[in-house]
């Protein structure tokens, strides 16, 4: 019995350490859509401290144009329907505390807690990657147009 408690304590300490030091946002919400876990990576990406956001609706970080789809998706998953984004890595947009909309990559999972089904997401801000992709696209377009002009 004592060994099991020690193993569980060690496992919890490991989990807490990983959550605390991750540079990606790690966020969990309960079935009601209220934020129950918010790490330092989430604070850096979204701008809210844990004290400001914990217990608040997940919609606080979801742009208005996605909120209805989000609510429908949660309702569908909780009622046993299809789980489109669960277990997938998807690109979406998030909303920072200052209102800025930005591109993100989300890996979403569900888990059973003491009060029912919960959701956890690992979120990465992909703003720089998207800017680089756009710059490369424009550079390729310029090169193609220059090649066409040289051939004429």
């Amino acid at each position: 019995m004592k060994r099991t408690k020690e193993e569980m304590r060690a496992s919890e300490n490991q989990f807490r350490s990983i959550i605390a030091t991750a540079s990606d946002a790690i966020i969990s919400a309960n079935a009601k859509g209220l934020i129950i876990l918010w790490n330092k990576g989430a604070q850096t990406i979204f701008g809210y401290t844990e004290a400001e956001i914990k217990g608040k609706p997940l919609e606080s970080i979801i742009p208005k144009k996605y909120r209805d789809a989000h609510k429908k998706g949660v309702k569908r998953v909780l009622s046993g329907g299809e789980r489109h984004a669960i277990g997938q890595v998807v690109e979406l947009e998030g909303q920072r505390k200052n209102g800025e909309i930005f591109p993100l990559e989300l890996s979403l999972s569900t888990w059973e807690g003491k009060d029912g089904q919960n959701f956890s997401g690992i979120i990465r801000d992909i703003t720089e990657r998207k800017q680089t992709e756009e710059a490369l696209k424009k550079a390729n377009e310029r090169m193609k147009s220059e090649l066409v002009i040289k051939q004429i």
Side-chain angles (χ1 to χ4, degrees):
M1 181 80 154
K2 184 177 180 181
R3 182 175 173 169
T4 303
K5 283 184 179 181
E6 288 174 6
E7 288 172 351
M8 287 188 62
R9 191 171 315 135
S11 178
E12 183 175 341
N13 287 340
Q14 178 185 21
F15 170 77
R16 288 181 187 274
S17 174
I18 292 167
I19 297 295
T21 59
S23 58
D24 288 339
I26 301 177
I27 302 168
S28 291
N30 63 21
K32 295 177 184 175
L34 301 178
I35 295 169
I36 58 174
L37 183 133
W38 186 264
N39 75 338
K40 295 242 188 257
Q43 179 176 328
T44 300
I45 291 171
F46 289 98
Y48 293 97
T49 65
E50 182 182 21
E52 288 176 305
I53 199 75
K54 200 168 179 183
K56 299 284 193 278
L58 196 55
E59 284 83 11
S60 303
I61 60 170
I62 298 173
K64 285 184 182 181
K65 65 182 177 180
Y66 299 114
R67 290 179 187 167
D68 285 340
H70 166 74
K71 288 177 187 176
K72 287 177 185 173
V74 170
K75 188 175 181 180
R76 183 184 62 247
V77 170
L78 290 174
S79 66
E82 286 188 59
R83 310 169 117 213
H84 302 296
I86 308 288
Q88 306 291 319
V89 177
V90 295
E91 287 186 11
L92 299 168
E93 290 180 320
Q95 183 170 320
R96 301 188 207 280
K97 180 180 177 180
N98 66 8
E100 177 189 355
I101 307 296
F102 68 100
L104 60 81
E105 191 174 77
L106 167 68
S107 177
L108 188 62
S109 66
T110 62
W111 51 279
E112 202 64 34
K114 64 180 181 179
D115 297 324
Q117 194 162 19
N118 297 287
F119 299 86
S120 290
I122 300 173
I123 298 169
R124 177 170 290 162
D125 181 345
I126 59 172
T127 301
E128 287 184 31
R129 184 173 84 197
K130 289 297 186 181
Q131 290 170 342
T132 301
E133 288 172 0
E134 186 61 28
L136 285 170
K137 182 180 172 185
K138 287 180 181 179
N140 281 334
E141 289 170 0
R142 277 194 312 271
M143 284 182 17
K144 285 179 184 178
S145 67
E146 287 177 17
L147 285 173
V148 169
I149 290 172
K150 287 181 180 179
Q151 290 176 351
I152 296 178

